[in-house]
Amino acid sequence: MNEALLTYIHELRDLEGILELLGWEDETYAPKGARVARGPQVATLEAVIHRKLTNPQLATLLASATPDNELETVMLQRLQRQVDHATKVPEDLVKAIAEARSAALIAWQKAKADKDFDLFKPHLERLLPLVRDKGAALGGGQMSPYDALLDIYEPQMTTETLRPVLDDLRRGLVEIVDALRVAPQPPADCLEQRFGDGAQWQLTLRLLKDLGFDFSHGRQDRSAHPFTASVNERDVRVTTRIEEHNLMGAVSSTIHECGHALYEQGFDPAHYRTYLAAAPSMGIHESQSRLWENQVGLSRGFWRHYWPEMTTLFPGQLREVEVDTFWRAINRVQPSLIRVDADEVTYNLHILLRFELESAMIAGDLQVADLPAAWNDAMLTLLGVTPGNDAEGCLQDIHWASGAFGYFPTYTIGNLYAAQLFDAYRRAFPDVDTQLEAGRFEPLLKWLRHHIHRRGHTAAASDIVKETVGAPLSVTPLLDYLRAKYRAVYDVAL
Amino acid sequence: MNEALLTYIHELRDLEGILELLGWEDETYAPKGARVARGPQVATLEAVIHRKLTNPQLATLLASATPDNELETVMLQRLQRQVDHATKVPEDLVKAIAEARSAALIAWQKAKADKDFDLFKPHLERLLPLVRDKGAALGGGQMSPYDALLDIYEPQMTTETLRPVLDDLRRGLVEIVDALRVAPQPPADCLEQRFGDGAQWQLTLRLLKDLGFDFSHGRQDRSAHPFTASVNERDVRVTTRIEEHNLMGAVSSTIHECGHALYEQGFDPAHYRTYLAAAPSMGIHESQSRLWENQVGLSRGFWRHYWPEMTTLFPGQLREVEVDTFWRAINRVQPSLIRVDADEVTYNLHILLRFELESAMIAGDLQVADLPAAWNDAMLTLLGVTPGNDAEGCLQDIHWASGAFGYFPTYTIGNLYAAQLFDAYRRAFPDVDTQLEAGRFEPLLKWLRHHIHRRGHTAAASDIVKETVGAPLSVTPLLDYLRAKYRAVYDVAL
């Protein structure tokens, strides 16, 4: 491949990494009053990247590019994808979306605080058709607008593939939820205590280290909302949030972000500074965070391993508690209103609801004015609960206000992939439970590194998973895993 | 002025601010193993800025620019200066310097560690003529190479102006040093204790706050070498270094960086995101750090004010100590080998030595091979001490290894300006000593804001100082200040 083209790709990746650092900084160490001036700096850097992607010089380079091997071919396809995203949406529309989004975000915050959907409604009504137009522009007649939006986050995934899978998932999940609803809840008193900030912080660092997070190429800090930032392949950062009344908030978020970070720290050095050193989809990225968070971090073996540590760190709170009591407590299932607080079983029902509503909105089958009622109806049907107001209903998430339609399904795709991968791992290593109970996490990480991480974006997410587990996107492993686990947690037939 | 041109300037400033953040990050929170990947990111961003400055589109915009007022005229001159720096040095030479500098820095580190000048010699011999060529290219026959290099850091200052001033300064300083050399030294036992890290940190934060540092638009962190970073006008960061055996190291460095930061936080909002929101020279910038560090932070009134706080923070170390004993201890004068550890009186002799040697090297009057001997001779003449090896001699500073010839004089210019400004302030506010003893720092800050900070780079440093103090660069205020102070510290005739 042309050296100039490779340099071009390197520079794009460098600048994107800097953008990531700016985002990380904004949530961690930036002084409060700096935000107003940081905005223009971020916008300028984004403009520089956008200009690089839309520069005719790049088009020329791409047109005359002669890849020397299959890897380079893929490398150029990935770059072309970036160029397409930067060029296919007309500049006027990009600008209109940016403006509408900006106003919608402010209105959404106020609407959520005031529990008043009407404050948000006109903004969503302005933003929605623009996002639909963006989908149409990206789809170019080849994909429906919604599929084109979905494709931004989950390349090569379509509604046609996804809907039947999600329908199956809904049926299976509702069955489990209904069975658990009538079972006696495990007691959760052991969690309803104060857990010191210092000990929690120490625990999260210990977990990161044990799971394989590389602190010489990363760090953990605190932020209001936990996230992972890849400044570059050798600098991957996670954040967590510690609240004294919410031990599992910090633990789960650290393990979750650790899963993302292990992925980002595990790309093939041969792909560094190119679009191959990247996850091929948000769904597969989420599979890594969720696998560690749920399949590993909510398992009985995991907590048996850490129990001596836990009772040392929190003697006053946990010395009298049985590990199994703790494990049952952290695995309670309870239909609830807020997605981000939902348990492993009900979580995907929150996503299914959003997928149906957002695809209907983009298709024009659901009007913004009818969103709150549709939301509340679906909550009642799927989860048997009704929001007391829209703040704990259709206003709870930032995604739509930020124009990110098509993003939600990737959470569930991630959960499905996680279960498929963990199932395949169990087939390869039938002693996985023993591994977890012994705190031996490196065989799992090594396996994920080999099958998922090192491959980066050399293939589509669906292909990588399929090659690893031997099957396409499927609900069976997740439902089987949930049934087996919750039989044990609740001691009921499932 | 053309809107496009203003946007162009804004974007340049935004990107430069991001570069500043990357530098700050590298010294504070970047994971150890990230450095190898950060280098290319920084280089890419530098390349983006360089390309923006050398872009023919900018030349066209500048050629057709029609400033609407005098301020815009100056604004365009400042931009033109950036363009000149980016375009006047041929690309081959820029590249050759970058390569030679990179190798020289590595060699310098090793040479310093091994106390072996010969390891550095060939690298400096390679770098020196390249830097000389850069000076020649920038000077373009109008300025000598050394003056052109000096002009990078201290615009409009020339050797012709500087040398007679520095000659006067040398005579005056040597006289003071000689007088103090035979006087009995104030005891310094009170400093030779361990001062807890936590209390020191608390003290430095208190000092920053009291002196007027705006924490909603800045922060303090720790780094190996203290520095100030301006991410943008609303985000100015300082760092300090705390060592338990060196209380005044942290105190002085915090006050020093605070002085720089107050300047950066004090630009006129009307100049934000342009080259006017900047110090007009390194010397005037240094005047702000040194004025606060020395004239304020080493004054008797200052420590009388803080003594109750000090004895509370460090009861075990200081409760039995008289404030005047402490004040004398921190103001000991002692000729020594290392510039960065030098006291207020001998410091400038270290600079004068470097100025003579570096201007001779650039002029071709001093060969690299002869540098160690010339250094040691000058140290003996000026300070009466002789380095035991080159690590504590001509290898001690990073400047020459990094190609920064012409930078050293700005330290002394800063000290001269600081004394001139403080002298003018004392004329305007004869009760300045009472102000300091009362901890009333805001009149001084307000005065500096008005005369120096708000003006930014709307005029040359020498003009701004001259308008403020009513005289050109002069040694009298510094020598008068030193004589008066050290008469009091040492109780001798000066």
Side-chain angles (χ1 to χ4, degrees), chain A residues 269-322:
Chain A
H271 302 158
Y272 282 7
R273 291 178 88 202
T274 78
Y275 289 99
L276 299 183
S281 83
M282 298 307 294
I284 195 167
H285 220 313
E286 190 74 2
S287 79
Q288 299 305 294
S289 55
R290 294 294 267 178
L291 186 155
W292 289 100
E293 178 188 357
N294 293 339
Q295 271 80 2
V296 173
L298 292 177
S299 70
R300 187 167 359 200
F302 183 88
W303 288 104
R304 284 189 175 161
H305 171 68
Y306 279 109
W307 206 242
E309 174 87 9
M310 292 297 284
T311 52
T312 305
L313 279 172
F314 307 105
Q317 297 90 335
L318 298 180
R319 208 188 292 129
E320 307 294 315
V321 177
E322 292 292 323

Side-chain angles (χ1 to χ4, degrees), chain B residues 410-432:
Chain B
T410 69
Y411 292 121
T412 286
I413 294 169
N415 288 325
L416 293 170
Y417 281 162
Q420 289 184 274
L421 290 170
F422 198 68
D423 177 61
Y425 181 72
R426 187 181 288 282
R427 277 181 275 130
F429 294 85
D431 68 333
V432 50

